Amino acid sequence: MYTPQAGIFALGTSSHAYLEFDLLDTKNCKAFAAAISAIREPRTTTGGVNFVIGFRPELWSELLPDDVPVGVEGFNKEIQGVEGFVMPATQHDALVWLSGSTYDVIFDMAHSVVRDLAGLASLAEETSSWSYRHDRDLTGFIDGSENPTLLEAPADALLPEGVPGAAGSVLLLQKWKHKTAEWEAVPVKQQELIMGRTKADSIELENKPEDSHVARTDQDKFGNIFRRNMPYGDVEDHGTVFVGFSADQKRLSKMLDSMAGLLNGTRDALTRYTQPLTGSYYFVPSVESLLRLR
């Protein structure tokens, strides 16, 4: 019986930091893996901080070849959609996602992690995020309305027992910058058509447009994804950190292809008001697999 990383399902946290690392020398990948897995020592519980540790799938296959899910790969090529729309590939070697109730504790823990990995890996991307009006993103809409419940989420997010990578998950991490001035110039009724949901109470529209965000990311079509999205940024430069967990990477990749218009030529209308800045896939292994790295 394998155990998933608890931070995947640690809902209710209001402060977050996403630290993405690149190895300084690929020859030191085992020493790096030992160091990054050691951050799950007891100090990580101080102040109620949760950790999620993920690896570039190709790196994970070097570390524990017998624990690699079939067919999982990094975000190694940009997605070229219709009308010149592009989702960039910014794959890094590892991710440490910290979450907790206050940012001062997150800051101290992030500083500790970066210090512990110094000499083995460089901090390639750092993003801080925070909750906004409980469960809304910075478009003003409720985020994650179709998320599975915590009782259902493990079946959707985790690889089952008996397969390589059991109790692990495939994580898609993207940063989307909002084109705020353009979005706020759109009347609410039109915003709702773009989203496919009402703004006030997140009720799905019966006759939602084919290019609405809900239609292009329909979980009934692609399969359930457990989302942990959060807002990031400041007043002038902000957006959404997309954090999606799945037991099957194809659910995630097909969703992105759909948004880019590669499945039927219809691009997600929301992508006209948001710009993807980053894109990485990480394999988030079980606790038992992390312990094997030490």
Side-chain angles (χ1 to χ4, degrees):
M1 189 75 175
Y2 290 87
T3 310
Q5 294 186 42
I8 296 173
F9 304 109
L11 299 179
T13 49
S14 57
S15 296
H16 300 251
Y18 310 87
L19 310 176
E20 296 180 84
F21 293 91
D22 285 334
L23 281 167
L24 295 176
D25 187 342
T26 56
K27 295 178 182 178
N28 292 330
C29 65
K30 291 186 177 179
F32 168 72
I36 201 171
S37 66
I39 69 173
R40 292 187 64 88
E41 292 296 337
R43 74 176 186 275
T44 64
T45 62
T46 304
V49 177
N50 301 287
F51 280 76
V52 171
I53 298 170
F55 297 86
R56 175 170 56 87
E58 292 83 359
L59 174 60
W60 185 249
S61 69
E62 294 181 34
L63 296 169
L64 289 181
D66 62 340
D67 196 57
V68 180
V70 176
V72 177
E73 59 185 13
F75 203 132
N76 300 321
K77 294 192 304 182
E78 67 180 19
I79 298 173
Q80 298 182 1
V82 301
E83 304 171 7
F85 175 69
V86 174
M87 292 187 190
T90 60
Q91 183 69 53
H92 299 291
D93 286 322
L95 165 73
V96 179
W97 167 30
L98 316 177
S99 63
S101 58
T102 61
Y103 190 71
D104 57 342
V105 176
I106 297 297
F107 179 89
D108 286 343
M109 297 305 291
H111 177 67
S112 175
V113 170
V114 173
R115 183 187 60 213
D116 290 350
L117 298 179
L120 295 169
S122 61
L123 180 62
E125 182 81 27
E126 176 185 0
T127 304
S128 301
S129 67
W130 31 270
S131 61
Y132 177 72
R133 297 188 182 182
H134 181 60
D135 55 4
R136 293 181 185 269
D137 67 25
L138 297 180
T139 65
F141 281 76
I142 294 174
D143 200 350
S145 297
E146 291 190 354
N147 237 5
T149 67
L150 280 179
L151 289 176
E152 301 166 331
D156 295 320
L158 304 177
L159 280 90
E161 293 290 328
V163 303
S169 185
V170 181
L171 166 61
L172 170 61
L173 183 69
Q174 290 181 298
K175 189 158 67 172
W176 289 77
K177 176 183 172 66
H178 291 190
K179 301 176 182 179
T180 304
E182 296 175 37
W183 176 253
E184 291 180 346
V186 176
V188 170
K189 288 297 183 182
Q190 183 63 29
Q191 289 182 3
E192 292 178 336
L193 292 174
I194 291 168
M195 283 291 192
R197 289 184 175 277
T198 59
K199 192 168 187 176
D201 43 18
S202 199
I203 298 173
E204 187 171 329
L205 303 180
E206 290 187 12
N207 298 310
K208 56 187 175 292
E210 180 65 17
D211 67 347
S212 68
H213 183 58
V214 171
R216 301 318 314 148
T217 60
D218 186 0
Q219 293 194 154
D220 291 336
K221 180 183 297 183
F222 303 115
N224 283 343
I225 297 165
F226 183 56
R227 292 171 169 84
R228 295 289 309 277
N229 302 352
M230 293 293 290
Y232 79 88
D234 53 33
V235 173
E236 292 295 323
D237 184 3
H238 54 257
T240 298
V241 180
F242 179 88
V243 183
F245 292 94
S246 179
D248 184 354
Q249 187 177 30
K250 291 180 180 178
R251 298 176 195 166
L252 298 162
S253 61
K254 287 292 187 183
M255 179 190 69
L256 295 186
D257 286 347
S258 174
M259 293 176 67
L262 296 178
L263 298 188
N264 63 359
T266 302
R267 175 181 165 188
D268 188 332
L270 186 59
T271 64
R272 305 182 192 283
Y273 301 91
T274 58
Q275 176 187 357
L277 302 179
T278 67
S280 292
Y281 283 113
Y282 295 101
F283 178 63
V284 179
S286 68
V287 172
E288 289 77 10
S289 294
L290 282 177
L291 290 172
R292 292 173 59 190
L293 300 177
R294 299 183 184 180

